[in-house]
Amino acid sequence: MSKRIYILLLTLTVLFSACEFKLKPNEEEGVSSTLQVQRYDRLESRYLTTGDFSALQQMNTAYPMQTRTLIEDMLELGEVNDPEINAKFLNFYQDTTLQTVIADVQTQYADMDDINKQLDEAFKTLKTWIPDLQEPLIYSQIGALNQSIVVGDNLIGISLDKYLGSEYPIYKKFDYSPTQLQSMKRSFIVPDCLCFYLLSLYPLKNFDMRPQEEKDLHMGKVMWTVNQVLGEQILKTDFTKRVDAYMKKHPNVTVKALLENDDHTIF
């Protein structure tokens, strides 16, 4: 596998204070959106709740990269070629809390037509602003209440277990802040996908050596761009306001130029 970039949503939320895309309609979903989330989570759910070996086979053959990322990098259960890995994977999810989460994901996300439509429209808009933008393959999965969005190798993985609602009872068992909980709902899936995909394409160079304000401003540029794509102020910080003020004063600056600019003294 080539180098992957993994982005932990909640870590960045604190830090900054604050589907495969198919080229034709998915007949199973019965919607007309050009770009759709690939429902890897359904196969995962079948295997983890019933032990259906055919579902596991489909996960390994149709989604090898997604399965490797989930097992090796997110859950850290071991290597996918370990003879015991299937049993480890199955046993890990027999926890009562995770079994409840799996069931609730399948109920809340039985239909994702709204998300497919939003993603389709958002990436069409982004392509007009960034013509060389490579469209990612997007899929949904069920993690273990850790990472929300995983980005890498032209893939975006959405952990639906992290978007069950700010009032979801199981979340109350964990030490999530009110700010974090506000982002753990359906309406944040598309903004988060866009935000962290753009961050993977336009990372801040020498991140560890940069002052905090530059890190915040870089995140502000990405969040401002996402707001423009979606046509509403979903992601709001003092830094998005500074970027907005700059862009209003410089209407000839393109979104692509904004994201590529490494000079944060302009804001």
Side-chain angles (χ1 to χ4, degrees), residues 53-82:
F53 189 69
S54 65
L56 178 63
Q57 287 181 312
Q58 284 184 266
M59 290 170 63
N60 287 324
T61 56
Y63 305 96
M65 187 78 73
Q66 291 88 335
T67 301
R68 181 183 292 273
T69 298
L70 176 63
I71 291 176
E72 294 187 358
D73 300 300
M74 291 185 64
L75 305 179
E76 299 183 338
L77 296 178
E79 297 183 358
V80 292
N81 57 3
D82 180 346

Side-chain angles (χ1 to χ4, degrees), residues 150-166:
V150 180
V151 180
D153 287 335
N154 198 39
L155 293 173
I156 298 178
I158 306 167
S159 296
L160 297 177
D161 51 295
K162 293 298 292 292
Y163 294 98
L164 293 172
S166 56

